[in-house]
Amino acid sequence: MVVQKRFVLVKHFDGMPKEGDLKIVEEKLPALKNGEILLEAKYLTVDPYMRPYSARALKEGDTMMGEQMASVTESKNPNFPVGTNVVCSPGWCTHSISDGKGIRKLPSLPKGLPYSLSLGTLGMTGMTAYFGVKEILNPKAGETLFVSGAAGAVGAVVGQFGKILGCRVIGSAGSEEKVKYLKEIGFDDAINYKTTTDNLDKKIKELCPKGIDMYFDNVGGVMTNTVMMNMNDYGRIAMCGAISGYNSKTQPTVPHVPIVSKQLKIEGFLVWRWMARYPEGIKQFSQYINEGKLKYKEHVTNGFDNMFKAFCELFTGSNFGKAIIKV
């Protein structure tokens, strides 16, 4: 029998995640029934959304939520022979049993590309960028796009996609190293928000002299309020996340004045809305990667037992790129 290791929720997060909030448990998995498959995780992902959504979707004792790229190691399901690679969502665990429903088979990737991309640029985070930009912002060549959290897994792809579509792209990040990286991958310019706290509005005006037409928001808080004040009339905002407030106990205030006076169009979204169209986005981004138009960066943590450490790094800014755990 296979022994499964998994992280379970001991108590819901209160402020920043703490060591005692999760624990690792081990248990033997039962023998497969007809129609079932045994999956072994190869790569797992940690993402900021897990912090607020776990409070709504999980109860204490549940396996921590999350996606993984896994391989079929035993099968009693003819649709998933041994060796099939898939993306699935059994949570933070090393092995799982599935009936095949709700999992996505992975095609062979171009030579040299790691399967971890199925959790990043060619997976949920990449598709968040693709559909958020294409369907919600609907950019036009020559427009200015501002991206907060621009060096993150979603933000970096958003900015590059914006450039491919002919936009002027400005981003915000939390270190000079990240600002330099954003310029290297094609951003027109970027702001280190940690060194512009007292003059953020001035810096945004300097880098966006014609105003901002589109805002892809991953951060919320002061950054979002300031960006809104610098948006052009009828500007469009794709609200993807608000990581600045995920560990806060106070509710953010809504900047009503710029929303109304500038007649801004704001839309929050979850990428699952376009799940049926994933192949479209994956095909397009695979092409961009092959053509050298779209670059990716991964922050890889080795070892399943280190997942919680990788998760916490999302909220301190110490990770750089898509957070991946290699089992």
Side-chain angles (χ1 to χ4, degrees):
M1 285 190 177
V2 172
V3 175
Q4 176 202 64
K5 294 176 70 173
R6 61 190 177 100
F7 279 86
V8 300
L9 185 68
V10 176
K11 58 181 179 180
H12 285 288
F13 304 119
D14 183 15
M16 280 289 290
K18 293 174 280 295
E19 285 283 350
D21 295 338
L22 300 175
K23 70 175 181 180
I24 296 177
V25 298
E26 297 185 8
E27 63 178 282
K28 292 181 179 179
L29 295 179
L32 295 185
K33 300 175 184 177
N34 287 333
E36 292 184 333
I37 56 176
L38 177 64
L39 296 166
E40 180 179 352
K42 301 298 183 183
Y43 297 98
L44 298 100
T45 174
V46 287
D47 299 282
Y49 81 85
M50 296 173 180
R51 168 63 179 82
Y53 279 81
S54 63
R56 307 175 196 176
L58 301 181
K59 62 181 183 298
E60 293 175 358
D62 285 347
T63 302
M64 184 59 182
M65 60 170 51
E67 277 193 322
Q68 60 177 249
M69 178 265 150
S71 292
V72 177
T73 58
E74 185 181 343
S75 178
K76 288 190 176 182
N77 186 325
N79 295 320
F80 294 90
V82 171
T84 302
N85 294 315
V86 304
V87 169
C88 52
S89 300
W92 294 14
C93 61
T94 57
H95 300 81
S96 60
I97 292 175
S98 171
D99 61 5
K101 295 178 181 177
I103 68 177
R104 178 166 55 89
K105 290 183 181 180
L106 294 178
S108 297
L109 296 181
K111 186 177 181 180
L113 294 184
Y115 271 108
S116 53
L117 284 182
S118 62
L119 300 174
T121 306
L122 301 180
M124 182 181 70
T125 51
M127 296 307 95
T128 298
Y130 180 81
F131 291 107
V133 170
K134 185 173 181 178
E135 298 297 327
I136 294 179
L137 295 182
N138 189 24
K140 300 174 181 63
E143 290 187 316
T144 296
L145 166 63
F146 193 99
V147 186
S148 61
V154 174
V157 180
V158 168
Q160 292 180 84
F161 191 28
K163 288 301 297 180
I164 291 170
L165 297 176
C167 300
R168 172 174 166 77
V169 180
I170 308 298
S172 66
S175 72
E176 292 304 316
E177 181 187 11
K178 292 179 179 180
V179 166
K180 179 182 177 183
Y181 170 70
L182 292 178
K183 294 177 181 179
E184 288 174 351
I185 62 174
F187 280 64
D188 291 285
D189 218 322
I191 295 170
N192 180 351
Y193 70 86
K194 290 186 178 179
T195 60
T196 56
T197 303
D198 297 329
N199 63 339
L200 180 60
D201 182 71
K202 179 181 178 181
K203 188 66 176 178
I204 289 176
K205 282 182 166 63
E206 177 186 318
L207 297 184
C208 306
K210 295 182 179 180
I212 297 167
D213 301 297
M214 300 169 291
Y215 176 38
F216 196 103
D217 185 16
N218 294 300
V219 171
V222 173
M223 177 62 70
T224 292
N225 291 1
T226 309
V227 170
M228 282 187 180
M229 293 299 297
N230 286 279
M231 293 195 73
N232 294 323
D233 288 353
Y234 310 109
R236 293 99 68 199
I237 300 175
M239 302 205 84
C240 177
I243 193 172
S244 68
Y246 284 168
N247 295 307
S248 175
K249 297 180 181 180
T250 59
Q251 292 295 318
T253 56
V254 178
H256 292 89
V257 172
I259 293 173
V260 176
S261 65
K262 296 174 181 288
Q263 302 180 71
L264 302 179
K265 181 180 180 181
I266 303 171
E267 185 171 348
F269 71 100
L270 297 175
V271 72
W272 315 123
R273 188 194 311 184
W274 300 282
M275 176 71 77
R277 291 175 57 191
Y278 265 34
E280 169 195 329
I282 292 171
K283 180 181 179 181
Q284 183 65 81
F285 276 2
S286 295
Q287 179 182 329
Y288 288 154
I289 291 173
N290 289 336
E291 295 172 348
K293 295 179 180 179
L294 183 59
K295 299 175 176 64
Y296 63 89
K297 188 177 185 66
E298 296 181 324
H299 184 94
V300 180
T301 298
N302 290 305
F304 177 78
D305 291 4
N306 293 319
M307 280 200 72
F308 183 75
K309 172 179 175 292
F311 180 58
C312 291
E313 288 176 348
L314 295 173
F315 307 104
T316 62
S318 55
N319 73 306
F320 193 174
K322 176 68 190 84
I324 294 291
I325 292 79
K326 184 176 182 181
V327 180

